[in-house]
Amino acid sequence: MSSLFSWLNDQLLKMQWLSDLVSWLLSSVPGFDPASRLGGSVHFFIYDTIKIFILLCVLIFSISYIQSYFPPERSRRILGRYRGVGANLIGALLGTVTPFCSCSSIPLFIGFTGAGLPLGVTFSFLISSPLVDLASVILLASIFNWSIAIAYVLIGLVLAVLGGTLIGHAGMEDHVEDFVRTAPVLDQGETDLTRRERIAFAWGQVRDIAGRVWPYILIGVGIGAGIHNWIPADLITALIGQDKWWSPILATFVGVPMYADIFGTLPIAEALVAKGVGLGTVLSFMMAVTALSLPSLIMLKRVVKGPLLALFFGIVVTGILVIGYLFNSISHLLV
């Protein structure tokens, strides 16, 4: 049974057949050596790009079909039934079925806050939505393994719940801009969509999300190919190797100015791990890029005041650093 699962994982998720096909096609090009540094970079770029786009389209379609059952008004009513940590957990879990980047999550954050939901719950959603989604489980498993994929999702949910809980207990409701708290909420009820309409919605989400993220995927794969085949491992480990105490700190603050999502950061993470960078350092980088991108912080500054934004940033950065150091110390149990 384990051998069958391993074979299915290699062929369906890691797409070993695609890697072999790309190798065969490159070896058929006259004068081109797939085993050379340039050949390895070309193989990495073609294979990872096609694999990520295939998984992206399949996963976003599936998740969006599920999401069609949870329009914003229904999500608001679900969140409104709970209180305390349970409400933060539900908010974080709802974030996992919204395949949005951090910037596109903010309009929903405004809607939830304007509808009167507790501030901590809406922040749990805001942290979880770009950081953890159902697609991230499959994508991480396709590049690393299931242990790492599940661990990433669990720690992302824990960070979202703890972050939202702390913000909720800080009593900073008056640090939300007035227009957010007074934003009109349209209660259009729930539309009973037909299967055809749900399929059309899911395909629309695939086109929309793929159309927005494809440049970041190509950039991420290109950077990953460069790291994997052109930058010496000794140089990378000297800067952010697993034995360097500052690695998670550097990875976190390098990731914050970037704007991408998990689809664009995974190829970079894959190449860094292959070069000897610690798993926790890579996770810190991925989380900083997805949850604390500079564009999303700029947008968030328009809807919350400085002290609340600083609290949000401080809590999430601290959580990311704790996760980075923790997973660097236990990575031998997962890899």
Side-chain angles (χ1 to χ4, degrees):
M1 181 62 71
S2 61
S3 61
L4 176 61
F5 178 81
S6 177
W7 183 84
L8 289 173
N9 188 70
D10 289 342
Q11 298 303 319
L12 296 180
L13 294 183
K14 296 188 176 182
M15 298 188 191
Q16 184 59 47
W17 60 270
L18 177 61
S19 178
D20 296 339
L21 176 61
V22 173
S23 296
W24 178 78
L25 290 174
L26 291 177
S27 64
S28 303
V29 177
F32 189 83
D33 182 11
S36 66
R37 181 178 295 180
L38 176 61
S41 296
V42 172
H43 179 277
F44 185 101
F45 186 85
I46 295 175
Y47 164 63
D48 266 40
T49 299
I50 296 175
K51 179 181 71 172
I52 289 175
F53 272 107
I54 290 174
L55 290 173
L56 172 69
C57 293
V58 172
L59 293 170
I60 294 302
F61 179 86
S62 303
I63 294 168
S64 298
Y65 191 89
I66 296 172
Q67 188 194 1
S68 69
Y69 290 92
F70 297 93
E73 176 56 28
R74 183 179 184 186
S75 299
R76 185 189 68 81
R77 287 202 298 270
I78 292 173
L79 288 173
R81 298 172 189 166
Y82 299 89
R83 292 292 182 270
V85 177
N88 291 95
L89 177 59
I90 298 300
L93 290 173
L94 278 177
T96 66
V97 295
T98 54
F100 299 129
C101 67
S102 52
C103 287
S104 53
S105 300
I106 291 177
L108 279 178
F109 167 81
I110 295 174
F112 290 159
T113 304
L117 292 177
L119 189 62
V121 176
T122 58
F123 267 100
S124 286
F125 171 85
L126 185 64
I127 296 171
S128 171
S129 182
L131 191 64
V132 181
D133 57 60
L134 300 178
S136 63
V137 183
I138 307 299
L139 287 168
L140 282 163
S142 73
I143 289 180
F144 299 114
N145 58 49
W146 280 100
S147 297
I148 294 175
I150 294 173
Y152 175 85
V153 172
L154 290 177
I155 62 177
L157 288 174
V158 169
L159 178 59
V161 172
L162 288 179
T165 301
L166 291 172
I167 291 173
H169 282 86
M172 302 186 73
E173 284 74 10
D174 58 340
H175 285 81
V176 177
E177 296 292 349
D178 292 338
F179 81 90
V180 176
R181 286 181 283 136
T182 59
V185 179
L186 298 178
D187 188 353
Q188 299 176 338
E190 294 180 28
T191 303
D192 188 14
L193 300 177
T194 65
R195 179 179 299 179
R196 178 174 296 181
E197 288 171 334
R198 296 189 192 279
I199 291 175
F201 169 77
W203 275 120
Q205 288 288 85
V206 170
R207 291 193 297 269
D208 177 59
I209 295 174
R212 285 190 284 113
V213 306
W214 70 265
Y216 305 107
I217 293 176
L218 295 181
I219 292 171
V221 175
I223 294 173
I227 294 173
H228 193 272
N229 294 281
W230 295 91
I231 301 180
D234 292 343
L235 177 60
I236 294 178
T237 54
L239 293 174
I240 53 173
Q242 188 163 348
D243 60 330
K244 303 298 186 293
W245 66 266
W246 61 79
S247 296
I249 299 174
L250 181 60
T252 299
F253 286 97
V254 166
V256 168
M258 300 178 66
Y259 176 61
D261 52 25
I262 193 171
F263 308 117
T265 57
L266 272 174
I268 302 174
E270 177 186 14
L272 289 174
V273 169
K275 290 291 186 178
V277 176
L279 176 61
T281 301
V282 170
L283 290 180
S284 292
F285 171 75
M286 291 173 58
M287 289 184 162
V289 171
T290 53
L292 293 174
S293 67
L294 188 59
S296 70
L297 292 176
I298 293 173
M299 289 183 64
L300 190 58
K301 179 62 178 67
R302 301 293 300 273
V303 299
V304 301
K305 298 177 183 177
L308 180 53
L309 180 64
L311 178 63
F312 165 75
F313 184 83
I315 288 174
V316 177
V317 166
T318 301
I320 289 174
L321 291 177
V322 170
I323 289 166
Y325 284 107
L326 174 64
F327 274 80
N328 271 350
S329 64
I330 66 170
S331 60
H332 62 281
L333 301 176
L334 299 173
V335 177

